[in-house]
Every structure is written in C-alpha cells, then in structure tokens.
Amino acid sequence: MADIAVLGFGARGTIYSLIAAEEGLKIVAACDVDKERRSAAKRLLGLKDGMCFDSAEAFFAAGRLADALILSTIDGTHYEYAMRALDLGYDILLEKPIALTLAEVDDIAAKAKALGRKIGVSHVLRYTPFYMKIKEIIDSGVIGRVMNVNQTENVGYFHQAHSFVRGNWHNSVETCPMILAKCCHDFDIILWLTGKSCKKLSSFGALDYFKAENAPAHSAARCKNCAAAPDCPYDAYQIYSARPTWVRIPDGQEENWENAKKVLDDDATFYDKCVFRCDNDVVDHQTVNMVLEDGIVVNLTMQAFSGKVYRRIQVGGTFGEINGVLEDNRVELEIFGKEEKQIFDIGVHDSVSPHAGGDRLLLVDFMKYVDSKSGGFKADIDKSVESHRLAFAAETSRLSNGKVMEF
Ligand SMILES: NC(=O)c1ccc[n+]([C@@H]2O[C@H](COP(=O)([O-])OP(=O)(O)OC[C@H]3O[C@@H](n4cnc5c(N)ncnc54)[C@H](O)[C@@H]3O)[C@@H](O)[C@H]2O)c1
C-alpha cells in the first residue's frame, strides 16, 4: 500500500491525518513551520526520528519520503511546492486552490502530465453523499432534461468576518479573489453534476458593506474599546466566545475561551479589529451567471449575509425538480404532476470528516488512485483546472462591469 507525507499540518493536514489513522493509511513524514503543529504531528502520527521537518526546504532536501504527498500549506505556497514535489516523484493530493494564477494552475497540470504523475485536487463536494445522491438522480433521467441550476454559497456573517474581512483571505493581492478561494468547489460541482462544460459567463459583485463608511457611530478600531459592540453582530468577543477554537492559541495552552480571550485582548493580533476598518478588499457578495452546453442556465451566488454557513442547490429539469441544503444532508425530489415529494435523508454522521463526510471518501479514493495502474480519480487536476478557469474568468468579468467571458 502506498504511503503518505503531509506538508502543512494545520487544520486540513490534521483532518486528513485523523482520517488516515482510522482508515489504516500510513503517514510516514510531516512538515510544518509551526512548532506546536509539529508536536501535534509527532504525537498523532508516531513519526520516526528525522521524519518531522520544520521547513519546506529541509523537507524537500530529504528527497522523496513517500509515494504520495498531501499538500496542505497556505494557498500562496501551492505552486512552488507542487512543482518541487512533482520533480521529486510524488503523486499529490493538492488542497484547493491549485494556485493563485491561471498560468500557474496550467503549469502544474502540464508538468504532472509530462512526468506521468497523479494529482488529485481536494474537491470534497464530489465525494459527499449529498451531491452523489443529486448526481444519481440527474443521471437516472427522472427529472428529464436539466434546464437550470441555482447554487448558493452562504458564507455566514461570522465566517466572512473571520476569514474574509479580518483573517487569512481578506486581501486578494496577498491571497486570491474570494470567488476562487470559496467557490472553485461550486464551479466544480456544477460541471460535475450536469456533465457539461461552460460556454459563457458574467459576474457582478463587490465589497459593499465591510468598509469604513458603514462603521456605526461611536465605533472604535478594536472591539474591546468599542461603544457600538453590544449591538454589533460582528463584535469579535461575541463571535469567538461561541467559537474559541477558531483563535490560534499560543503553544502549550489549552483551547478554551479564557485563553482565546487573552489573544483577542492583544492588539498585535487581528481577531478584534473592527470589521469596518480592516485592509480587506475581497467581495462580500457576488453572483455568477453561466450558460453551459445544451443551454443550461446556472446562477451561482456567494454571499456573506447568512446566519449559518450553508450551501443550497436547486436543479430544475423538464420533468422534475431537486432541492437541498448540503449541511442538512437531505435531498428533496419533486416529480411534476405527482403529489408526494421524495425525501432522501442522507444520514452522514462522521465526527472526523467535515464537508458532510466528503473528506474521508476523497482521501480513501485518492490513495486507491495512487495505488492503481489504470484507475481514475473523480477530482483529478485536469477536471479541476476547468473550475479554476471559471473562477478566474468570473473575477475578470466582475472587475469589467459584468463583461461576458466566452469559452
Ligand atoms: N478542501 C477544502 O474544502 C478546504 C477547506 C479549508 C481550507 N482549504 C485549503 O487548505 C489549505 C490549508 O488550509 P488550513 O485551513 O489547513 O490552513 P492552516 O493555516 O490551518 O494550515 C496551514 C499550515 O501550513 C503551515 N505552513 C504555512 N506555510 C508553511 C511552509 N512554508 N512550510 C511548511 N508549513 C507551512 C502552517 O504553519 C499551518 O500549520 C489552504 O490552501 C486552504 O485554502 C481547503
């Protein structure tokens, strides 16, 4: 059985490692620049001496340590590390986004092809029982010809504030456009469900709310000093007291609200910056309209302003309609003219694998792909390049007043 190395032992690297342990997959090496993450990796994986690295330089200098590499460092490192890993002969499970420009995405795909290496991209939605059920229904033909798809990525007001206003993905120059970071999965799932490619798209959207002109009267630069905080849903102390594990707590301290609060109290950290006074430039709402082959019309909306984080989909066919919310794990099928709707309760209960069980199935399938001589992988890089192409095109369109982009 093929073995694995993990580069980037943060949230994603840890999830894959926990799943690997449960599935009997062997992780033999890990690398992270963060001391605490390395200690966690050693503890969890029981690595041999010399197999836990503190820099990517040292990791790559050690040569090829396993058959497959889980590449789960931050977005801006994916291009360099994927290219180096391919040179060393790794097959790669690459976190999305593949890279930060379309040229880099194409480069990685071309190099993998030239070297005969396998790259799977972590499009976990393809592996969720929820979307697999929807695909099965569409492919069965019971809803007739697909005419319309509406997919909404509801980011959640607190998640938007954490990731796209204050945190890691707030600035498109430092990272990437939000439509790529958040919705390359959605473009991918729409192409997969319909089995069609996109002929043209246009997009509108902007950063309209999280900016200085919308700051409440008497508000301050930090929530801790802010007179408006009690009435502000974006008050960091309200958001993180409900989610203390979202705060990066210093080495050796327990993950709890008491320790998280000390981090918020420290002005050197970003957590309690006023959401109206950050240097964010990514959108807070955006919509993409697409025309696929056979005239299927699609709307994809990504928006911050929801109470929960959830994806909703509606597929309209000539004989019936599918509706569902991924996080509910429930698919509704209505056949026109029949009174009763069919309800499919998917019933995934996987405490380790987020994305409604998708991460587990994706990792297990990827390792079968690595082991196989001829088998395929649902989310290989060639398929994923298409979703990235659409995300980059949507951003170009948005910045050009909705210009129609044709393919
Ligand atoms: N597939 C999905 O649905 C999904 C979900 C969330 C995040 N992601 C992607 O996964 C990747 C990781 O995200 P995360 O949430 O785990 O982030 P994270 O910050 O929790 O983890 C990243 C880890 O990489 C380490 N790191 C950073 N630079 C490094 C370097 N040069 N060398 C070695 N280690 C380094 C950090 O110390 C950290 O532990 C990102 O690209 C993100 O966009 C994908």
Side-chain angles (χ1 to χ4, degrees):
M1 189 209 297
D3 53 13
I4 309 170
V6 180
L7 176 50
F9 205 82
R12 301 295 301 159
T14 304
I15 287 164
Y16 286 127
S17 301
L18 290 167
I19 295 170
E22 289 188 359
E23 296 293 333
L25 302 169
K26 197 158 176 41
I27 299 185
V28 295
C31 170
D32 200 294
V33 289
D34 183 276
K35 190 168 158 231
E36 197 185 353
R37 301 315 313 156
R38 286 197 302 281
S39 314
K42 276 190 198 151
R43 221 174 28 244
L44 185 67
L45 302 171
L47 299 173
K48 287 190 186 147
D49 284 349
M51 293 299 260
C52 193
F53 298 85
D54 63 4
S55 72
E57 281 309 316
F59 174 78
F60 286 120
R64 180 170 176 258
L65 302 167
D67 303 296
L69 175 67
I70 294 177
L71 179 37
S72 48
T73 46
I74 48 176
D75 303 353
T77 58
H78 291 182
Y79 177 67
E80 181 191 340
Y81 295 168
M83 298 297 268
R84 291 176 76 172
L86 287 171
D87 277 332
L88 282 177
Y90 284 107
D91 290 329
I92 306 172
L93 178 58
L94 178 55
E95 265 307 342
K96 65 84 198 161
I98 297 172
L100 298 186
T101 67
L102 188 55
E104 288 176 351
V105 167
D106 285 337
D107 260 11
I108 295 174
K111 185 161 191 145
K113 192 170 197 166
L115 295 176
R117 299 262 56 95
K118 297 169 180 169
I119 300 186
V121 180
S122 63
H123 286 304
V124 288
L125 298 187
R126 286 193 185 218
Y127 285 88
T128 56
F130 172 85
Y131 281 110
M132 288 196 278
K133 186 73 200 173
I134 294 176
K135 173 95 175 132
E136 182 192 310
I137 296 171
I138 292 173
D139 289 351
S140 75
V142 289
I143 65 162
R145 179 178 153 199
V146 173
M147 303 298 287
N148 227 78
V149 181
N150 288 300
Q151 167 110 341
T152 309
E153 163 73 87
N154 293 290
V155 179
Y157 73 99
F158 53 91
H159 182 211
Q160 180 85 18
H162 173 72
S163 293
F164 300 100
V165 179
R166 296 175 167 128
N168 285 350
W169 289 274
H170 70 285
N171 189 293
S172 61
V173 180
E174 286 169 21
T175 53
C176 61
M178 186 169 162
I179 196 74
L180 175 69
K182 205 77 207 77
C183 286
C184 62
H185 283 324
D186 300 272
F187 288 109
D188 178 70
I189 206 73
I190 290 164
L191 298 179
W192 179 64
L193 288 175
T194 57
K196 305 293 178 194
S197 54
C198 181
K199 305 307 289 176
K200 55 185 170 178
L201 67 70
S202 79
S203 179
F204 292 97
L207 169 61
D208 275 327
Y209 187 59
F210 297 104
K211 42 193 204 181
E213 69 209 49
N214 295 317
H218 314 300
S219 60
R222 293 278 175 169
C223 300
K224 65 174 72 67
N225 311 315
C226 184
D231 296 320
C232 177
Y234 303 99
D235 168 25
Y237 288 80
Q238 290 179 46
I239 288 181
Y240 293 110
S241 59
R243 301 168 189 83
T245 56
W246 285 23
V247 177
R248 196 75 182 255
I249 289 167
D251 285 9
Q253 293 184 16
E254 209 180 309
E255 282 188 329
N256 57 29
W257 171 232
E258 198 187 328
N259 288 331
K261 184 172 175 301
K262 286 185 208 149
V263 178
L264 265 65
D265 289 344
D266 176 359
D267 275 351
T269 69
F270 66 77
Y271 293 99
D272 87 321
K273 273 182 166 177
C274 173
V275 289
F276 303 103
R277 295 180 173 85
C278 292
D279 59 345
N280 52 314
D281 72 351
V282 302
V283 296
D284 46 35
H285 56 168
Q286 182 168 356
T287 184
V288 185
N289 288 324
M290 292 176 259
V291 180
L292 309 190
E293 289 172 309
D294 292 351
I296 299 172
V297 170
V298 178
N299 173 266
L300 168 62
T301 294
M302 167 183 81
Q303 62 114 6
F305 307 102
S306 59
K308 291 185 187 154
V309 177
Y310 65 100
R311 278 188 168 91
R312 181 193 294 283
I313 185 165
Q314 178 196 32
V315 182
T318 48
F319 299 154
E321 172 188 351
I322 304 168
N323 281 286
V325 170
L326 170 65
E327 288 69 13
D328 292 347
N329 267 311
R330 191 169 187 268
V331 175
E332 283 184 15
L333 168 64
E334 181 178 349
I335 301 298
F336 302 150
K338 300 236 161 112
E339 263 176 36
E340 293 235 339
K341 282 184 190 167
Q342 276 180 268
I343 309 288
F344 302 93
D345 276 313
I346 311 292
V348 178
H349 303 288
D350 192 328
S351 58
V352 172
S353 170
H355 298 106
D359 300 58
R360 180 184 300 276
L361 298 176
L362 175 129
L363 178 61
V364 169
D365 198 39
F366 176 72
M367 292 313 293
K368 281 190 194 145
Y369 176 50
V370 171
D371 272 329
S372 74
K373 292 263 181 297
S374 55
F377 182 64
K378 273 206 273 195
D380 67 34
I381 190 158
D382 291 334
K383 295 174 191 122
S384 177
V385 165
E386 283 316 303
S387 64
H388 285 63
R389 194 179 308 288
L390 299 187
F392 285 114
E395 187 64 357
T396 303
S397 170
R398 183 184 78 79
L399 294 171
S400 320
N401 198 25
K403 178 182 169 191
V404 176
M405 310 289 290
E406 304 209 29
F407 308 97

